[in-house]
Amino acid sequence: MAAVLQKKIRVILADDHPVVRDGLAAMVNQQPDMEVVAEAGDGEEAIALYQRHQPDVLVLDLRMPKCDGLAVVQRVLEINPKARLLIMTTYDGDEDIFQCLSHGAKGYLLKDAPRQEILSAIRAVSEDRPYTSSTVAAKALQRMAKPSLTERELDVLELVAQGRSNKDIARRLSITEGTAKTHVKSILTKLDAISRTEAVAVAHKRGLIRL
Amino acid sequence: MAAVLQKKIRVILADDHPVVRDGLAAMVNQQPDMEVVAEAGDGEEAIALYQRHQPDVLVLDLRMPKCDGLAVVQRVLEINPKARLLIMTTYDGDEDIFQCLSHGAKGYLLKDAPRQEILSAIRAVSEDRPYTSSTVAAKALQRMAKPSLTERELDVLELVAQGRSNKDIARRLSITEGTAKTHVKSILTKLDAISRTEAVAVAHKRGLIRL
DNA sequence: GGTCGCCTCTCCCATCTGGGGGATGGCGTT
DNA sequence: AACGCCATCCCCCAGATGGGAGAGGCGACC
């Protein structure tokens, strides 16, 4: 077959779990049309290896030590706007999906995806075709209809999620308690929550905050 | 070497991510002294396959579809009190660790562990030696000093984490608002939290509640 | 220059929350 | 039977929270 002669898809894997890297690498290297050229265990490494190897596809976990997945997406796309990124993660909050795709990632899939789906996603992305499962795409669309939080509101939200009081939040952000309350109220409205605790629950579900 | 002649360690892998199973299977099967005899993608399957194959070691993810990891631990140990279970998960909350180990799991390690550590854990557990990394062991010990929540308190905690008000919680549990408040107060005391939102944060960190 | 969004701050007020008590009955263990 | 633990209920009350409305300063964008 002539297909065998064409260049293989060169893949870099970035995931902080050695087991996952092994699994992916085994799967990829078994395919005649693709190969793993490097593996990264954290975000910085992923960026460095991308620059050195200029792979066809970078398979990226969100949530890695040193440099969050989204930050890697941004930095890699700054370096090469045509970079082909496939996000592969366990997190299915609309915020993560929306952020990655809107920043220019070509694909997004969940770690519990079957082998075949992972491989076809890599092939799709390598040809610059977007890959998104229907459930993931649906979440991205859902998210678009929802209001975004401002940076300041995210600052406040994080503290709310830690269980801080308005007074405490005000102290930490060097603002008035009244202002903190204003931000919290705005957060409640945007997240359609009645209480701060519900806001935290919603924020968690959406992937607005971590841990 | 005579060692090659001895029976291989028979391993079952239970994890809902095909990628992780592949990675583990590849690692294990490369070892001369162990082999994977079956793989499960959910809790029920894990129990069924354990009964059928009676492996030397069951490597188990917490948080799987159909039957939570801890439930699998309990059921398998009911079937065979001498079963050797190695928990392998991303969750490092003291509660998960404590529950699994106190129910009789022989080992507990995190998915970001390096290959060598995973393999030595499997070997240790197969010989009925406990395996626990120092950080994991430390958390289990920490947890022992902390008060446990009662079942009812856990019911309430779950609703608190969803952002429900005391009144709402009372309605859902068919109790008085006053009683709901009593439970919440008790939860706050036990978790050493000042507000319900902080209680939720602590509970999350400890693995008392999921998602 | 005007408009818009964001951050900041202010005031009022009803309600919820959390801390301090105490009390009852059930249920299992000793 | 006596004990402890738990779940259930009750009281009071200070302080935090959430809802509503408004307003000034500032930078970005048109």
Side-chain angles (χ1 to χ4, degrees):
Chain A
M1 276 176 53
V4 194
L5 296 175
Q6 71 192 25
K7 269 187 190 159
K8 288 188 178 184
I9 302 169
R10 300 171 62 247
V11 179
I12 288 184
L13 306 178
D15 194 301
D16 57 334
H17 301 337
V19 186
V20 174
R21 292 205 302 272
D22 275 14
L24 274 172
M27 278 174 44
V28 168
N29 285 327
Q30 271 184 337
Q31 307 302 309
D33 60 337
M34 49 179 83
E35 65 180 337
V36 174
V37 294
E39 293 182 19
D42 63 64
E44 289 178 4
E45 213 180 328
I47 295 170
L49 291 175
Y50 183 87
Q51 289 190 286
R52 185 168 336 141
H53 296 282
Q54 297 283 328
D56 298 309
V57 179
L58 173 56
V59 178
L60 196 61
D61 187 18
L62 293 182
R63 242 61 60 98
M64 283 187 297
K66 299 181 193 173
C67 207
D68 183 87
L70 181 57
V72 176
V73 171
Q74 289 177 295
R75 302 247 330 250
V76 168
L77 284 168
E78 277 172 26
I79 296 166
N80 175 10
K82 293 184 176 176
R84 298 181 187 117
L85 305 180
L86 174 59
I87 311 299
M88 167 149 192
T89 182
T90 54
Y91 303 94
D92 64 342
D94 10 17
E95 190 65 21
D96 287 317
I97 298 171
F98 176 78
Q99 288 293 340
C100 287
L101 294 182
S102 69
H103 276 92
K106 281 284 181 301
Y108 195 109
L109 52 80
L110 301 179
K111 273 188 185 167
D112 56 3
R115 296 166 182 81
Q116 275 316 314
E117 185 173 0
I118 297 173
L119 293 170
S120 27
I122 294 179
R123 290 198 182 91
V125 171
S126 78
E127 294 167 11
D128 213 33
R129 284 186 291 118
Y131 180 90
T132 332
S133 73
S134 54
T135 48
V136 169
K139 294 210 175 184
L141 294 176
Q142 273 174 34
R143 162 56 232 258
M144 290 200 298
K146 297 169 187 166
S148 296
L149 298 200
T150 67
E151 279 186 34
R152 201 51 161 171
E153 285 160 0
L154 286 174
D155 292 341
V156 173
L157 176 58
E158 195 173 329
L159 293 169
V160 170
Q162 289 171 17
R164 310 288 177 191
S165 68
N166 290 331
K167 199 175 297 187
D168 201 353
I169 291 171
R171 228 178 300 127
R172 285 167 192 264
L173 296 182
S174 303
I175 55 179
T176 312
E177 183 180 352
T179 304
K181 290 178 72 172
T182 304
H183 287 312
V184 170
K185 277 185 278 192
S186 163
I187 291 169
L188 294 183
T189 305
K190 289 186 179 177
L191 296 188
D192 193 29
I194 297 170
S195 69
R196 51 178 55 219
T197 314
E198 188 186 354
V200 172
V202 172
H204 249 118
K205 202 175 304 169
R206 295 208 189 156
L208 284 165
I209 46 178
R210 318 239 161 278
L211 237 164
Chain B
M1 277 175 55
V4 192
L5 295 175
Q6 70 192 26
K7 270 189 190 158
K8 288 187 177 183
I9 302 169
R10 299 171 62 247
V11 179
I12 288 185
L13 306 177
D15 194 301
D16 57 333
H17 300 336
V19 185
V20 175
R21 292 204 302 273
D22 275 14
L24 274 172
M27 277 175 45
V28 168
N29 285 327
Q30 271 184 339
Q31 307 303 309
D33 60 339
M34 48 179 86
E35 64 180 338
V36 175
V37 294
E39 294 182 19
D42 64 63
E44 290 177 4
E45 213 179 327
I47 295 170
L49 291 174
Y50 184 87
Q51 289 189 284
R52 185 168 335 143
H53 296 282
Q54 299 281 330
D56 299 308
V57 179
L58 173 57
V59 178
L60 196 61
D61 187 16
L62 294 182
R63 241 64 60 99
M64 282 188 297
K66 299 181 193 175
C67 207
D68 183 87
L70 181 57
V72 177
V73 170
Q74 290 176 293
R75 303 249 327 252
V76 167
L77 284 167
E78 276 171 28
I79 297 167
N80 175 10
K82 292 184 175 175
R84 299 181 186 115
L85 305 180
L86 174 59
I87 310 299
M88 167 148 192
T89 183
T90 54
Y91 304 93
D92 64 342
D94 6 15
E95 191 65 19
D96 287 316
I97 298 171
F98 176 78
Q99 289 293 340
C100 288
L101 294 182
S102 67
H103 276 92
K106 282 282 180 303
Y108 196 110
L109 55 79
L110 300 178
K111 274 189 183 167
D112 57 3
R115 296 165 182 81
Q116 275 316 312
E117 185 173 0
I118 297 173
L119 293 170
S120 28
I122 293 178
R123 290 197 181 90
V125 171
S126 79
E127 295 166 12
D128 215 33
R129 285 187 288 115
Y131 179 90
T132 331
S133 74
S134 55
T135 49
V136 169
K139 295 208 174 186
L141 296 175
Q142 273 174 31
R143 161 56 230 260
M144 290 202 298
K146 297 170 186 166
S148 296
L149 298 199
T150 67
E151 280 186 33
R152 202 50 163 170
E153 284 161 0
L154 287 174
D155 292 341
V156 173
L157 176 58
E158 195 175 327
L159 293 169
V160 169
Q162 288 170 18
R164 311 287 177 192
S165 68
N166 290 331
K167 200 174 296 186
D168 202 352
I169 291 171
R171 228 179 300 129
R172 285 166 192 265
L173 296 183
S174 303
I175 54 178
T176 314
E177 182 179 350
T179 305
K181 289 178 70 172
T182 305
H183 288 311
V184 170
K185 276 187 280 192
S186 163
I187 291 169
L188 294 182
T189 306
K190 288 186 180 177
L191 296 188
D192 193 28
I194 297 171
S195 70
R196 53 178 52 218
T197 314
E198 187 186 356
V200 171
V202 172
H204 250 119
K205 203 175 304 169
R206 293 208 190 155
L208 284 165
I209 47 179
R210 318 238 159 279
L211 235 161

